[in-house]
Amino acid sequence: MSTMRTHDDTWDITTSVGTTAVMVAAARAIETDRPDPLIRDPYAKILVADAGTGVWEFLLDDTIDARLETVDPESAAIFRHMRGYQAVRTHFFDSYFADAVAAGIRQVVILASGLDSRAYRLDWPAGTTVYEIDQPKVLEYKAATLAAHGVSPAADRHEVPIDLRQDWPAALRAAGFDPAAPTAWLAEGLLMYLPGDAQDRLFAQITEQSAPGSRVATETAGTHSDERREEMRERFKKTAEQLGIAQPVDFADLTYNDPDRADVAAWLGGHGWRATAQHSQDEMRRLGRWLEVPMGDDKDAFSEFVTASKL
């Protein structure tokens, strides 16, 4: 259970849940600079460098791996594993969108879009409209930063500045969304920040707005024991202190560790969708990004990538 979240909390790119978007963008920037990248995000580094968090920029430091290895080899392995996971996750959902537009879908909705730059960097067919839903200040930062660097969207991009706990379907329709047209939905890096009942409500709302032939993709939330969460909290706190890195947030305080939340593929399968699930561990191994880490043998601690089509 989250200890910091409230029903009406809000954030910008430097606070609370907003900072996690900067962390994920940093992982994409690092992957992009690899000699064998799984994905290419030329805008990730810009978004991280201009965020002003004062912390996630350290991920872009070429010496961070060696410094972490000196302080705590296990933390270094977890850090490298995390970066590999983000690359694999991004690659999976990039492919999902490529398949969706190849099937003729031209309406896309990215929920809690954060610093996702797909509206700018993917090769969208003519006539594709991408709707991004997130907190107003998060969307404002991304659009303003990329515009300042001369970057324009590759699709017809529409911002929907609203909290997902509010009436986002109405705001989405007001922005031009057509519920009668097949849609490709994405909920990436989102479910862990929702309690189980809010997760159910989110997918019920998506279902209500989805015409036959629509698709949805999401990353499920892994579950960890309270003991494991506390162990990881203390490990990362100690490592950060030794490296002189300020910790703006404690991620365990932002997420909902809800072991009773619904199985996403099963929920979708029972509500008019044909769903499949790919375990992230298997996808990481397939793409050569798996590293042996503590709790690596606990599949429940790792997410699944779920895709589904509306019947």
Side-chain angles (χ1 to χ4, degrees):
M1 187 70 176
S2 171
T3 60
M4 288 182 60
R5 305 294 307 286
T6 62
H7 76 281
D8 59 353
D9 58 335
T10 187
W11 52 84
D12 59 18
I13 206 64
T14 65
T15 58
S16 186
V17 177
T19 66
T20 68
V22 185
M23 178 195 70
V24 173
R28 292 199 304 270
I30 294 167
E31 180 67 22
T32 298
D33 286 343
R34 284 179 59 124
D36 58 342
L38 289 176
I39 56 101
R40 295 186 184 276
D41 185 344
Y43 311 123
K45 189 174 291 186
I46 294 171
L47 292 167
V48 174
D50 288 1
T53 62
V55 57
W56 296 122
E57 291 87 342
F58 89 89
L59 290 174
L60 305 179
D61 184 345
D62 292 339
T63 69
I64 190 63
D65 275 359
R67 292 166 61 199
L68 273 172
E69 191 69 36
T70 299
V71 170
D72 184 349
E74 186 171 293
S75 289
I78 294 171
F79 173 66
R80 289 191 294 270
H81 188 276
M82 179 275 292
R83 289 190 322 212
Y85 172 80
Q86 295 296 341
V88 168
R89 184 179 82 173
T90 302
H91 179 273
F92 185 92
F93 294 122
D94 281 0
S95 298
Y96 157 76
F97 278 130
D99 291 343
V101 297
I105 293 176
R106 295 293 181 268
Q107 184 166 253
V108 170
V109 179
I110 302 177
L111 300 153
S113 60
L115 298 185
D116 185 312
S117 64
R118 290 185 175 96
Y120 297 83
R121 67 178 178 81
L122 292 187
D123 186 17
W124 299 105
T128 302
T129 302
V130 177
Y131 295 92
E132 294 191 17
I133 304 177
D134 211 321
Q135 296 269 351
K137 291 181 179 179
V138 174
L139 292 174
E140 179 184 340
Y141 166 77
K142 178 167 58 179
T145 300
L146 292 179
H149 287 269
V151 180
S152 300
D156 183 14
R157 177 178 176 268
H158 291 253
E159 294 184 356
V160 186
I162 191 170
D163 192 298
L164 287 171
R165 292 165 293 190
Q166 299 169 358
D167 189 2
W168 64 263
L172 180 62
R173 293 191 299 272
F177 174 82
D178 180 5
T183 304
W185 302 84
L186 177 62
E188 177 187 26
L190 170 59
L191 300 189
M192 68 283 293
Y193 302 111
L194 301 176
D197 59 344
Q199 173 181 299
D200 292 348
R201 184 165 60 252
L202 177 73
F203 286 113
Q205 291 169 313
I206 290 172
T207 300
E208 291 168 0
Q209 303 300 312
S210 294
S214 293
R215 301 184 182 194
V216 65
T218 191
E219 164 202 20
T220 66
T223 58
H224 309 267
S225 69
D226 290 340
E227 293 78 10
R228 181 60 184 172
R229 284 162 64 89
E230 185 59 30
E231 176 189 337
M232 295 304 295
R233 185 203 305 264
E234 291 301 318
R235 175 180 291 277
F236 289 138
K237 178 181 178 182
K238 181 180 178 180
T239 301
E241 289 173 350
Q242 290 177 302
L243 292 176
I245 299 169
Q247 286 186 292
V249 294
D250 187 327
F251 290 121
D253 285 336
L254 300 179
T255 58
Y256 291 85
N257 193 47
D258 187 349
D260 296 324
R261 70 172 70 234
D263 177 278
V264 175
W267 191 100
L268 290 169
H271 291 80
W273 299 80
R274 181 183 295 110
T276 60
Q278 172 77 355
H279 202 283
S280 61
Q281 285 185 338
D282 298 332
E283 189 69 359
M284 290 185 75
R285 289 187 173 95
R286 186 181 74 84
L287 294 173
R289 288 293 191 269
W290 176 260
L291 292 174
E292 292 300 332
V293 291
M295 73 183 180
D297 58 348
D298 180 7
K299 275 211 162 188
D300 290 341
F302 294 84
S303 67
E304 291 183 331
F305 303 143
V306 176
T307 57
S309 299
K310 183 75 180 297
L311 300 174

